[in-house]
């Protein structure tokens, strides 16, 4: 028999013994899980071949990306407005009031995460990502925007449509207060991104070659 019980085990035992805390968190956790699943289903459904073919038959191919972005925004808006915090269960809590450097560490980390997300969207052509270019090009009878990009880049876009894995992971997990509902959101979204984004060897070779080209251009300046 162990002579002592670890702090982690003590925390779990205390949580399981506290029936009121579990009952208080049960309702919010169930509803929050449904909200995240709804967001994930919307993302997966609208990028499926079935929906793309349906929009093509309806003559809405040029609006496909705009519809995707709009419905994603609506689902995200609904998730944010209806999210229920489960603050009765807190996995960790770090007091940053007494430590200004620690407070700034969290602020800077989150700022870096948002900069990575925004910068990645700009690099990957934000107007095309939102569907603005598709509508504009269709209006003037141009080919779709992806037709003007290289085959390697189109292959990468087919596997990773928007950059945010590292940035979003930092924002979700690096926090001074980790409640159970935030952990739920972080785990579900990062797991979905990891599973849904399926880069292959061709994508890796392409990104390495682009990085080398960028280095050579910088050295030439």
């Amino acid at each position: 028999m162990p002579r002592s019980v670890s702090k982690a085990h003590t925390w779990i035992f205390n949580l399981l013994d506290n029936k009121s805390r579990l009952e208080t968190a049960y309702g919010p956790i169930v509803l929050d899980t449904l909200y995240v699943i709804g967001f994930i289903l919307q993302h997966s459904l609208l990028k499926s071949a079935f929906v793309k073919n349906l929009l093509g038959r309806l003559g809405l191919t040029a609006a496909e990306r705009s519809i995707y972005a709009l419905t994603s925004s609506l689902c995200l808006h609904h998730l944010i407005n209806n999210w229920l915090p489960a603050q009765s269960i807190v996995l960790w809590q770090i007091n940053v009031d007494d430590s200004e450097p620690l407070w700034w560490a969290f602020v800077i980390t989150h700022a870096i995460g948002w900069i990575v997300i925004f910068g990645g969207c700009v690099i990957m052509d934000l107007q095309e990502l939102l569907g603005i270019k598709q509508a504009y090009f269709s209006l003037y009878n141009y080919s779709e925007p992806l037709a003007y990009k290289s085959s390697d880049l189109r292959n990468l876009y087919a596997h990773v449509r928007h950059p945010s894995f590292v940035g979003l992971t930092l924002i979700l997990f690096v926090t001074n207060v980790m409640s159970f509902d935030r952990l739920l959101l972080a785990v579900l979204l990062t797991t979905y991104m990891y599973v849904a984004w399926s880069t292959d060897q061709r994508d890796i070779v392409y990104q390495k070659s682009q990085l080398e080209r960028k280095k050579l251009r910088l050295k030439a300046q």
Side-chain angles (χ1 to χ4, degrees):
M1 294 290 291
R3 295 185 178 181
S4 62
V5 180
S6 68
K7 292 182 178 180
H9 289 157
T10 302
W11 181 87
I12 295 174
F13 294 151
N14 290 337
L15 174 61
L16 294 176
D17 289 338
N18 195 327
K19 186 177 179 181
S20 61
R21 291 175 64 184
L22 293 174
E23 289 179 345
T24 303
Y26 178 75
I29 290 302
V30 171
L31 290 176
D32 292 344
T33 302
L34 293 175
Y35 296 148
V36 179
I37 291 176
F39 179 74
I40 290 174
L41 288 177
Q42 176 272 330
H43 256 57
S44 300
L45 179 63
L46 265 73
K47 72 174 185 179
S48 65
F50 172 77
V51 172
K52 290 183 178 181
N53 292 333
L54 178 61
L55 292 175
R57 288 196 295 269
L58 295 174
L60 296 174
T61 301
E64 175 192 322
R65 191 66 199 175
S66 299
I67 294 173
Y68 185 92
L70 177 61
T71 53
S72 297
S73 299
L74 291 174
C75 288
L76 188 59
H77 183 267
H78 182 270
L79 184 149
I80 293 172
N81 280 353
N82 294 277
W83 190 263
L84 299 174
Q87 296 177 344
S88 61
I89 301 178
V90 177
L91 282 79
W92 69 74
Q93 185 170 352
I94 303 172
N95 186 9
V96 297
D97 291 335
D98 300 330
S99 177
E100 188 171 342
L102 189 59
W103 182 83
W104 275 108
F106 283 107
V107 171
I108 293 173
T109 301
H110 278 237
I112 292 173
W114 285 114
I115 290 171
V116 169
I117 293 173
F118 178 75
C121 290
V122 172
I123 292 173
M124 292 185 73
D125 194 346
L126 184 58
Q127 292 178 327
E128 191 275 334
L129 186 64
L130 295 175
I132 299 173
K133 272 191 175 181
Q134 287 86 332
Y136 179 82
F137 281 30
S138 177
L139 183 63
Y140 289 95
N141 294 321
Y142 298 154
S143 300
E144 62 176 1
L146 287 179
Y148 298 93
K149 302 183 185 297
S150 68
S151 60
D152 288 330
L153 183 56
R154 291 198 300 270
N155 186 72
L156 175 63
Y157 280 6
H159 298 148
V160 181
R161 200 59 185 91
H162 55 84
S164 56
F165 186 84
V166 174
L168 193 59
T169 300
L170 284 175
I171 293 168
L172 291 174
F173 281 100
V174 180
T175 177
N176 64 312
V177 179
M178 178 60 82
S179 59
F180 195 81
D181 61 293
R182 186 186 182 97
L183 178 66
L184 172 74
L185 178 68
V187 170
L188 288 178
L189 288 184
T190 51
T191 301
Y192 173 66
M193 287 189 294
Y194 181 81
V195 173
W197 293 357
S198 53
T199 53
D200 56 19
Q201 188 62 32
R202 180 181 174 185
D203 297 325
I204 296 173
V205 171
Y206 171 72
Q207 293 194 70
K208 286 183 177 180
S209 67
Q210 292 299 307
L211 180 60
E212 292 300 322
R213 289 179 61 184
K214 187 64 176 179
K215 289 180 179 179
L216 291 175
R217 288 183 181 180
L218 291 175
K219 290 180 179 180
Q221 292 180 353

